[in-house]
Amino acid sequence: MTRPGFVLEVDDRTPPLLVHEGLGFRLEEFPLGTRVIYPPEPVATVPDVDQAIREALLNPVDSEPLPELLFAGMKLTIAFDDLSLPLPTMKAPDIRGRIIEQVLEMAAAAGVDDVELIAALALHRRMTADELRHVVGERVFRSFYPQGKLYNFDAEDPANLAHLGTTEKGEDVEISKRAAESDLLVYVNVNLVAMDGGHKSVGVGLASYKSIKHHHNAKTMVHSRSFMDHKHSEMHSSAWRMGRLIGESVKVFQIETTLDNNVFGKPYDFLMKREWEWSVKDQAAMLGMRRGLALAPQKLRHKLFHDLRGAYGLTGINAGAVEPVHERTVRKVHEQQRVKIEGQADVMVMGVPYLGPYNVNSTMNPILAACMGLGYYFNSYLGQPVVREGGVAILYHPLDEGFNTLHHPSYVDFYEEVLAESTDPHVIGPKFEEQFATDPWYIHLYRTSNAYHGVHPFYMWYWIAHALDHLGDVIWVGGDRRAASRMGFRAASTLQDALEMASGAVGTSPSITYLHNPPHLLADVR
Amino acid sequence: MVGSFWKDTVEDVRRAKRGWRWGHRAQVPRSAEPFVPPPSRNVYPNDWSRTPAAMVAREFAQKVGLEPVFRSQVRTRVEGLDTLARLSGPVIFAANHASHLDTPLLLLSLPDEWRRRTAVAAAADYFFDTWWRAVGSSLLFNTLPIDRRGGTMSATPGEVLRDGWSLVIFPEGTRSKDGWVGQFRMGAAYLAVEQGVPVVPVAHRGTFAAMPRGAGWPARGRRQLTVRFGDPLVPAEGESVRQFAPRIRDAVARLLDEEQTDWYAALRRSVSGETPDPSGPDVAQWRRVWASTQSPDVEPGKIRAWRG
């Protein structure tokens, strides 16, 4: 029986609580009365994954069964989410590969020859061959990659982009030409959080900068409340308008999958347990890991964490028309992640872990750490933010991992030049975005190397625009002072110091809420 | 660098020791209590603990380990052992329950030949939920798992009695929260009626004062404990469990009264129905606890120097 998520109130019986901070974690003794939000335990998974996939493809929602959409001589494109999902990367076999195999078996049975597979990475970095192989599986990789039929989407290849028109609000819709010209576009999603999927799949994953810039900007982001609630998110509204336009010219067969929250397999499973239920073995594992990490050099710690693979189970799969499929997906995601909370707090505490969507097999630089905490965790709410307007966010992360110049070259310049001038998303957008987005060197690196698009660091900063707009102060516990200061934040050595610093904004006895994730949770704040 | 590593290590261990109450039962934060999973129904078997080899090991553990430590921490006075001289066993010892000290007190008060053939009924959900608790308590105290949640007892205690083992049962089912005697459950009476064995009532005092719930070790100062064995009760012909059970509690109450007065006075009060209620006076909780925290004075009137 899965236990639901709940709100713990720290009392004298509460042991120290686990807080993630980059390539490590600490045990924090929170002030009495602190509310701690625990996500639900992993919900039930489907008993037979392959059977569930087959069922979904043969009995789709508001659509003909997939075999009926396939015919000889057709142009079939299969797009799939890139390695930014799920987090951490799933143990092989990846669910996308298992789905794609079944889609291809049906396509082969129908005699379809013209098949291409596209990693829908929008402006993310290109995946390496190994990463692609992990996602689609060995058989699919061997059949398509050498022929160039399995490839990364290129948002900067004008010859392979198609402009489908503009929405009623004047937003350009420009997506992959191959996808746009296909008789059927099958999109395979991993819906780790409620934000993923829906019209955002094709409308963003296969779109160019020209299209994406309409919703990835400070103004839209501030009015997305929240990203996890697509009916109240400006960004999603824009993606929905674009998706409906795409739907007029492209037949999209959407496949969405939901996972449980088994993010840490053994022997790290204690990281997901409720601390007062830690066995002697769990306590020993915690102490051993803490001391081991303290001795290990940074590279080893990085390897240790980034080699972790999620032991996810499939909780549901839906296929068919985009919108009804997505509604079902969101319900399933909520079942796994939603926790009801009464009222907002003065202070919100978040532990930023080693991994976010944009540093898989890479480093969590200060901008990504800020985006993970203030972009993802802060925005993971329904209704209203966990912290009140003018409240304080206290985050844990050392902010000392530096920049990966292969993956995040434009981040370095953004950090050194743009943030040095202003940290206000509304200021830096109009002034610098165009320059970074069109820089030929960044475009070259995006297209030929494994670099994120030049504009990507701006998007990270727009992600946190709502938090910056809402919060009175942001304090990083254990954070590098210079990095925090460059981003316009402050650093503290301990939680006590941070609360002392926050007392100017929230007084000396503020209400505190700590989001105990990962695993991911969605705060339903009433 | 090395210095700070060790300092942090010590700090981590200290924090874990404090936070997870090493040496004590883990606690659940109050707000998390509704979400505690049901306790494991898994009971580790302990038939091995009544084999000759285990008996030898237990003799060693009790005589070399348990007894010296126990005697170094508390003082005891045992009364009524002559009762046992008139019995040949097996019997059920039914005692009030206020502390983890009750079991060693009872066992170590028994004559060796009785002690070696006496098992202690222990809550399966508490003492048999992990292998190391099961092994430890079986080896040291000869515990026997019983299910205190359901109404039915497992078959094992009956088998153990039939094999000639005596059994210690605390009919209250749990340790008292304030040192006074709670309701008695039917288990001891049921076993006595079913198996036709006598029940020896046992009353002890002072264990709550020495080591109440939540304490991991007896309080300083070698507190006084007293234990008194009463005359055996045998279910009468045709006497039901429901009729027999109150007799056990009355007998324990009389023994407690005897602690305060003497055998004949307690007997007379019992006959006239004036035995003080062992569940204690109906006064404020703190007064009940306060009264229980007083160790029994076995030599009233003797003037002693102040003890630390």
Side-chain angles (χ1 to χ4, degrees):
Chain A
M1 177 67 191
T2 300
R3 288 186 290 173
F6 83 109
V7 181
L8 172 83
E9 191 176 314
V10 172
D11 61 14
D12 55 336
R13 294 181 181 179
T14 310
L17 304 179
L18 182 105
V19 184
H20 286 269
E21 50 174 356
L23 299 168
F25 59 88
R26 71 168 73 185
L27 292 169
E28 188 63 88
E29 289 168 69
F30 285 94
L32 295 182
T34 299
R35 294 192 309 174
V36 185
I37 318 301
Y38 282 85
E41 290 186 333
V43 299
T45 54
V46 300
D48 183 338
V49 173
D50 291 324
Q51 176 65 24
I53 295 170
R54 202 169 308 121
E55 281 287 315
L57 300 182
L58 295 178
N59 302 294
V61 189
D62 290 353
S63 166
E64 301 88 341
L66 182 62
E68 290 180 22
L69 298 170
L70 301 168
F71 54 90
M74 75 179 294
K75 214 181 224 190
L76 171 65
T77 301
I78 303 173
F80 55 90
D81 282 339
D82 74 349
L83 84 170
S84 62
L85 290 163
L87 298 171
T89 301
M90 183 185 275
K91 260 186 199 165
D94 192 286
I95 187 64
R96 285 161 287 201
R98 294 174 80 164
I99 295 169
I100 290 169
E101 281 190 16
Q102 292 212 25
V103 171
L104 287 172
E105 274 172 21
M106 290 177 185
V112 182
D113 288 325
D114 187 359
V115 180
E116 291 191 14
L117 292 100
I118 310 177
L121 40 89
L123 305 179
H124 297 176
R125 73 170 173 88
R126 285 152 42 85
M127 291 160 74
T128 64
D130 280 344
E131 288 166 345
L132 281 170
R133 187 187 292 115
H134 177 84
V135 168
V136 300
E138 164 64 18
R139 284 175 67 196
V140 177
F141 183 83
R142 194 147 36 99
S143 308
F144 292 89
Y145 187 77
Q147 290 80 39
K149 301 290 184 188
L150 163 63
Y151 53 88
N152 291 297
F153 171 62
D154 184 351
E156 288 292 349
D157 180 7
N160 283 309
L161 292 170
H163 195 275
L164 301 182
T166 54
T167 67
E168 66 269 24
K169 297 233 172 169
E171 297 145 319
D172 293 280
V173 180
E174 187 176 60
I175 66 165
S176 155
K177 192 173 184 178
R178 164 74 199 192
E181 291 174 352
S182 292
D183 296 303
L184 182 66
L185 171 62
V186 175
Y187 195 105
V188 183
N189 282 272
V190 176
N191 300 71
L192 188 67
V193 291
M195 179 184 79
D196 305 325
H199 284 301
K200 194 172 159 289
S201 304
V202 177
V204 178
L206 293 175
S208 69
Y209 169 65
K210 191 175 179 182
S211 205
I212 292 173
K213 70 178 181 185
H214 288 289
H215 42 66
H216 276 56
N217 57 60
K219 189 165 167 266
T220 310
M221 298 294 207
V222 166
H223 292 101
S224 295
R225 302 188 175 186
S226 76
F227 301 119
M228 300 299 166
D229 185 358
H230 71 87
K231 288 174 182 155
H232 298 97
S233 163
E234 274 296 310
M235 182 186 77
H236 284 84
S237 302
S238 174
W240 253 238
R241 287 191 293 274
M242 293 182 176
R244 283 171 186 156
L245 188 84
I246 292 166
E248 287 170 14
S249 50
V250 185
K251 169 77 181 164
V252 179
F253 189 83
Q254 180 93 346
I255 304 172
E256 299 197 346
T257 57
T258 49
L259 305 176
D260 66 10
N261 59 4
N262 255 322
V263 290
F264 296 109
K266 285 185 175 176
Y268 306 110
D269 49 342
F270 71 92
L271 295 169
M272 298 195 312
K273 288 189 185 170
R274 298 172 181 180
E275 289 83 349
W276 53 94
E277 290 169 7
W278 281 7
S279 64
V280 176
K281 211 164 118 190
D282 295 327
Q283 294 168 42
M286 175 276 291
L287 283 172
M289 194 169 168
R290 282 260 312 156
R291 298 334 297 155
L293 288 171
L295 279 181
Q298 176 98 345
K299 268 191 177 174
L300 185 62
R301 284 192 288 146
H302 189 273
K303 183 172 164 43
L304 183 81
F305 274 100
H306 282 262
D307 282 354
L308 292 182
R309 292 287 174 265
Y312 296 107
L314 182 72
T315 60
I317 172 166
N318 289 291
V322 177
E323 291 181 27
V325 162
H326 190 62
E327 286 309 314
R328 290 169 181 226
T329 301
V330 167
R331 277 203 296 275
K332 204 76 192 169
V333 171
H334 282 183
E335 190 188 320
Q336 178 62 85
Q337 297 176 355
R338 191 172 183 168
V339 186
K340 284 184 185 154
I341 305 174
E342 292 298 327
Q344 293 176 301
D346 298 322
V347 175
M348 178 186 190
V349 181
M350 297 166 272
V352 179
Y354 69 99
L355 187 64
Y358 315 113
N359 75 315
V360 177
N361 303 328
S362 186
T363 51
M364 174 85 91
N365 62 49
I367 296 162
L368 290 177
C371 176
M372 192 62 194
L374 299 172
Y376 281 85
Y377 284 5
F378 173 87
N379 281 300
S380 192
Y381 69 82
L382 299 174
Q384 50 185 348
V386 171
V387 60
R388 68 169 168 82
E389 193 158 7
V392 174
I394 295 178
L395 301 106
Y396 289 73
H397 194 277
L399 303 175
D400 66 348
E401 277 194 64
F403 292 87
N404 183 312
T405 46
L406 172 66
H407 297 148
H408 306 118
S410 64
Y411 279 67
V412 182
D413 295 334
F414 179 82
Y415 182 80
E416 294 294 351
E417 292 168 20
V418 178
L419 289 182
E421 193 151 321
S422 172
T423 57
D424 185 346
H426 300 279
V427 173
I428 63 176
K431 195 165 177 188
F432 296 103
E433 183 187 312
E434 190 71 19
Q435 178 197 332
F436 274 67
T438 55
D439 185 293
W441 177 240
Y442 292 147
I443 290 174
H444 174 72
L445 290 177
Y446 162 78
R447 296 192 62 190
T448 59
S449 176
N450 295 100
Y452 278 83
H453 195 275
V455 77
H456 204 260
F458 287 83
Y459 290 172
M460 298 300 96
W461 214 249
Y462 300 155
W463 272 117
I464 71 172
H466 173 28
L468 297 181
D469 193 50
H470 185 83
L471 293 166
D473 204 350
V474 176
I475 302 165
W476 293 81
V477 174
D480 181 86
R481 282 174 200 284
R482 275 185 305 176
S485 162
R486 169 57 56 95
M487 296 191 290
F489 308 133
R490 298 194 287 165
S493 310
T494 63
L495 176 65
Q496 288 69 30
D497 287 351
L499 289 171
E500 185 80 34
M501 289 158 72
S503 63
V506 294
T508 50
S509 52
S511 57
I512 305 168
T513 297
Y514 165 44
L515 293 191
H516 199 291
N517 55 2
H520 198 77
L521 63 85
L522 182 58
D524 186 357
V525 186
R526 303 295 172 93
Chain B
M1 170 69 188
V2 175
S4 74
F5 172 78
W6 286 113
K7 204 175 139 208
D8 290 349
T9 304
V10 169
E11 180 52 36
D12 265 7
V13 171
R14 274 199 189 136
R15 183 175 289 135
K17 179 173 180 285
R18 198 171 59 237
W20 281 274
R21 295 163 40 88
W22 289 358
H24 297 79
R25 288 261 165 182
Q27 286 187 330
V28 176
R30 289 170 191 86
S31 50
E33 277 174 347
F35 305 98
V36 173
S40 158
R41 307 286 295 194
N42 186 19
V43 175
Y44 287 84
N46 81 334
D47 293 342
W48 58 268
S49 73
R50 286 173 294 282
T51 58
M55 286 171 71
V56 171
R58 184 177 311 116
E59 185 68 15
F60 182 79
Q62 289 185 341
K63 280 291 173 190
V64 177
L66 181 65
E67 185 156 20
V69 174
F70 184 75
R71 304 258 180 243
S72 72
Q73 298 298 311
V74 292
R75 290 173 292 138
T76 59
R77 191 186 68 177
V78 187
E79 303 279 356
L81 280 179
D82 52 328
T83 299
L84 298 180
R86 285 177 264 149
L87 291 167
S88 57
V91 302
I92 293 170
F93 296 102
N96 56 322
H97 197 16
S99 165
H100 281 322
L101 283 178
D102 300 350
T103 302
L105 172 65
L106 252 69
L107 288 177
L108 296 176
S109 300
L110 290 171
D112 285 347
E113 64 275 17
W114 280 88
R115 176 178 51 77
R116 290 185 193 117
R117 296 288 293 172
T118 300
V120 180
D125 56 303
Y126 191 95
F127 288 98
F128 288 84
D129 58 343
T130 61
W131 69 265
W132 51 273
R133 274 200 196 100
V135 169
S137 64
S138 300
L139 205 56
L140 204 56
F141 301 119
N142 196 9
T143 46
L144 180 75
I146 55 161
D147 187 351
R148 62 175 172 178
R149 284 187 299 260
T152 56
M153 297 249 293
S154 67
T156 324
E159 288 165 10
V160 170
L161 284 168
R162 279 200 295 279
D163 288 346
W165 291 81
S166 292
L167 203 52
V168 174
I169 292 182
F170 299 108
E172 290 163 82
T174 187
R175 287 168 294 155
S176 168
K177 289 185 173 64
D178 54 13
W180 296 91
V181 179
Q183 292 296 316
F184 273 29
R185 301 184 187 196
M186 300 283 179
Y190 170 81
L191 270 177
V193 170
E194 281 288 304
Q195 304 294 328
V197 293
V199 172
V200 175
V202 185
H204 58 79
R205 281 169 48 80
T207 56
F208 182 83
M211 195 173 97
R213 263 174 186 263
W217 197 253
R220 289 162 61 93
R222 286 194 75 208
R223 300 287 188 119
Q224 178 71 52
L225 313 180
T226 64
V227 58
R228 186 174 292 269
F229 293 81
D231 291 329
L233 306 169
V234 182
E237 187 67 35
E239 188 174 15
S240 71
V241 175
R242 287 197 176 278
Q243 289 164 328
F244 186 50
R247 284 217 284 141
I248 300 175
R249 192 168 188 268
D250 291 346
V252 172
R254 208 186 80 196
L255 287 172
L256 284 168
D257 186 23
E258 198 175 322
E259 280 291 329
Q260 309 279 26
T261 56
D262 60 65
W263 173 75
Y264 192 66
L267 191 60
R268 286 195 54 195
R269 285 213 273 194
S270 169
V271 170
S272 59
E274 292 168 5
T275 303
D277 186 352
S279 60
D282 185 17
V283 293
Q285 179 71 5
W286 78 265
R287 287 177 60 191
R288 290 167 60 83
V289 175
W290 183 261
S292 302
T293 53
Q294 177 73 45
S295 292
D297 189 357
V298 295
E299 297 173 37
K302 184 181 173 186
I303 298 168
R304 284 187 308 196
W306 286 98
R307 297 177 68 97

